[in-house]
């Protein structure tokens, strides 16, 4: 069984500006600073923010599952503003999925705004049909809103 869940979140800043945050380690730093209650703590375990980087997200108390997720950056496409990661352990893999990928794409709307397209792709056994409803991109949508608001408020100082 394969599937995906996706959501577009409008952001009132230029695509290039938000891509500078999303493409590397700055996203994790800002999540730690601005929204630890949404995703929890972000630790950089290996790498410099490029392909191969491994990060660990420790979810806030009360989150289902093991309470953390490790992911590896597998694609950073500056031309198309696409970043992909693969979950190595924890997170939705704890539900039994064999493969879980997260894709973040910055889509330019005009010179002053864009959309963050957040997608979670999953693969697993047909027996997982009952748990597919638990896969959602709401935390990624909330992060896009928080980062967008932060960048919008600080545009003049960036």
């Amino acid at each position: 069984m394969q599937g995906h869940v996706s959501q577009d979140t409008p952001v009132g800043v230029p695509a290039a500006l938000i891509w500078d945050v999303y493409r590397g380690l700055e996203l994790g730093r800002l999540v730690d600073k601005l929204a630890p209650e949404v995703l929890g703590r972000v630790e950089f375990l290996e790498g410099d923010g490029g392909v191969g980087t491994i990060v660990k997200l420790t979810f806030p108390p009360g989150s289902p599952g093991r309470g953390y997720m490790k992911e590896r950056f597998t694609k950073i496409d500056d031309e198309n503003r696409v970043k992909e990661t693969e979950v190595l352990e924890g997170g939705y893999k704890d539900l039994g999925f064999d493969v879980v990928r997260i894709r973040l794409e910055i889509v330019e709307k005009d010179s002053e705004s864009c959309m963050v397209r957040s997608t979670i792709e999953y693969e697993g056994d047909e027996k997982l049909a009952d748990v597919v409803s638990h896969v959602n991109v709401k935390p990624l949508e909330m992060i896009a809103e928080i980062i967008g608001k932060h960048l919008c408020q600080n545009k003049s100082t960036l």
Side-chain angles (χ1 to χ4, degrees):
M1 170 183 61
Q2 293 181 312
H4 75 278
V5 179
S6 189
Q7 176 68 42
D8 289 347
T9 306
V11 181
V13 295
L17 185 60
I18 202 157
W19 177 244
D20 284 344
V21 170
Y22 268 75
R23 75 168 311 283
L25 300 177
E26 187 63 18
L27 180 61
R29 289 186 189 112
L30 284 177
V31 166
D32 260 1
K33 178 180 170 184
L34 302 172
E37 73 284 354
V38 176
L39 275 184
R41 295 251 334 126
V42 180
E43 296 174 65
F44 307 106
L45 301 179
E46 187 178 307
D48 60 2
V51 171
T53 295
I54 298 175
V55 298
K56 178 181 179 183
L57 295 95
T58 303
F59 301 127
S63 298
R66 223 186 288 185
Y68 77 93
M69 175 178 79
K70 284 186 186 176
E71 64 182 353
R72 174 181 290 129
F73 297 2
T74 56
K75 178 180 183 179
I76 298 174
D77 179 343
D78 288 319
E79 185 176 329
N80 295 302
R81 297 185 182 112
V82 174
K83 178 179 183 178
E84 293 181 358
T85 68
E86 185 164 336
V87 177
L88 302 174
E89 61 183 69
Y92 290 121
K93 284 198 85 164
D94 282 354
L95 296 177
F97 293 104
D98 297 323
V99 177
V100 179
R101 289 184 203 90
I102 299 169
R103 178 182 170 95
L104 302 167
E105 181 178 2
I106 310 303
V107 181
E108 187 169 29
K109 287 173 52 179
D110 58 41
S111 64
E112 290 301 314
S113 66
C114 63
M115 294 203 312
V116 177
R117 179 169 295 141
S118 305
T119 304
I120 297 176
E121 300 172 349
Y122 52 84
E123 297 176 17
D125 193 280
E126 294 298 324
K127 297 177 206 163
L128 296 171
D130 292 344
V131 298
V132 167
S133 64
H134 295 285
V135 178
N136 75 76
V137 293
K138 187 66 176 167
L140 298 173
E141 182 182 357
M142 292 169 62
I143 292 300
E145 291 169 353
I146 291 165
I147 298 296
K149 183 178 177 183
H150 171 76
L151 292 175
C152 198
Q153 290 172 345
N154 295 289
K155 247 197 276 197
S156 62
T157 61
L158 297 174

